[in-house]
Amino acid sequence: MTPKRHAAAVLGAAGVLAAAVWLLAAPGGQDAHPAGAAAPRPTDTTWPLSATPAAPAPATTSGAAAAPPPSPTTPAPRSPATSATAGPFVQTFAQQPGVRPQRPLPSPTATHHVPANVDGCDHNYGTITQCVPWTFPDGTTDRCAWLAGHGFERLRVVGEDRQKLDSDGNKIACDD
């Protein structure tokens, strides 16, 4: 083993040992501090991400079942007064003192027309999920054979037969 690899192995082992000591010294673990160093112990000795066992429900004398205590992992329900008075949350970097907010623009009223071939598909054929190419690859002589080779069979003609794939006019492309 080369000296560099030996040093790396020793440092790795030291890191694992340090992590183990940290885990033991963390809240809920055993004290593993150096001689005489007393660590302050928080009142809550559970890990923040671990589920803590719920306290047993107090026994009732009337025979009715008591409601279970709230789980420590679920947040308490918010009161309506708190949520109604809370304003929007704004990040500090978004606050711009002295700058007035702009007026919102009106919603567009004009219709925006999108060309039929915007995605490269000819939607005159097949279903909305099928993409018959608007233009076939160079060198394609038989478009119906190309479509059949790519899994398109008995395509419905739902619009104009722009590519002349329905030779008999029965609204089914490439069925000859």
Side-chain angles (χ1 to χ4, degrees), residues 30-172:
Q30 300 172 356
D31 286 328
H33 292 280
R41 300 291 286 174
T43 57
D44 182 19
T45 58
T46 59
W47 284 92
L49 297 178
S50 66
T52 58
T60 58
T61 57
S62 65
S71 172
T73 57
T74 58
R78 292 170 40 136
S79 68
T82 305
S83 61
T85 59
F89 177 73
V90 178
Q91 292 286 349
T92 56
F93 63 83
Q95 295 173 350
Q96 297 179 0
V99 177
R100 290 184 304 163
Q102 295 180 349
R103 279 186 321 125
L105 296 175
S107 296
T109 56
T111 305
H112 182 72
H113 294 285
V114 178
N117 64 342
V118 72
D119 58 353
C121 302
D122 192 345
H123 295 288
N124 290 315
Y125 302 97
T127 63
I128 193 71
T129 60
Q130 293 175 318
C131 182
V132 174
W134 185 265
T135 58
F136 284 87
D138 292 336
T140 303
T141 56
D142 187 3
R143 289 178 279 180
C144 286
W146 187 93
L147 289 169
H150 287 85
F152 294 100
E153 296 177 357
R154 296 189 48 83
L155 288 169
R156 289 184 320 135
V157 180
V158 294
E160 175 191 353
D161 187 18
R162 188 185 72 81
Q163 298 188 30
K164 308 292 185 232
L165 298 176
D166 183 18
S167 58
D168 57 359
N170 65 351
K171 296 291 186 182
I172 303 292

Side-chain angles (χ1 to χ4, degrees), residues 17-42:
L17 181 63
V21 168
W22 181 81
L23 285 174
L24 289 174
Q30 300 172 356
D31 286 328
H33 292 280
R41 300 291 286 174

